[in-house]
Amino acid sequence: MVSTGDVTVGVAAARRRIGSLVLEPSLAGISDVDRSFLVAMSQDDGPSRIGQIAVRLGVDGTYASQYRLRLIDAELVASVGHGMLDFTMPYLREYLREHAAALGLPRHS
């Protein structure tokens, strides 16, 4: 019989593997500013407003929009409505929240 604890352990192990096999390689080729943008996005529990990301980063909307385009081209985020972005990869938000310090990035709030 599989217990709730077994499921919890299995899910945690699967998420670690997704992080190391999929998410880490996907983030390896992007700049520190791109990563900071993603960490700023990760603070939202759902889609992020580009204006709010700019505020978190302390930059203007034009600057933030350039990184938005770069991350869309990298297929890490997608436009999900006017001025709204969301992650394209499952668990990327949670991975960034958990690993911001390890990535050498500040946690934005």
Side-chain angles (χ1 to χ4, degrees), residues 41-107:
M41 269 185 71
S42 76
Q43 301 309 301
D44 296 315
D45 291 329
S48 300
R49 293 194 178 283
I50 189 74
Q52 185 60 43
I53 297 166
V55 168
R56 289 178 186 151
L57 295 173
V59 299
D60 66 37
T62 302
Y63 183 88
S65 290
Q66 293 302 310
Y67 284 92
R68 170 190 164 274
L69 292 173
R70 289 167 49 113
L71 293 167
I72 288 172
D73 286 344
E75 298 180 350
L76 291 169
V77 302
S79 178
V80 294
H82 183 70
M84 302 289 292
L85 294 174
D86 206 356
F87 293 104
T88 59
M89 303 174 82
Y91 302 115
L92 182 54
R93 178 185 329 276
E94 295 82 1
Y95 178 85
L96 290 165
R97 286 178 178 175
E98 294 169 8
H99 294 87
L103 294 168
L105 300 169
R107 288 182 185 229

Side-chain angles (χ1 to χ4, degrees), residues 6 8 12 34 47 75 83 98:
D6 294 333
T8 301
D34 291 331
E75 298 180 350
E98 294 169 8

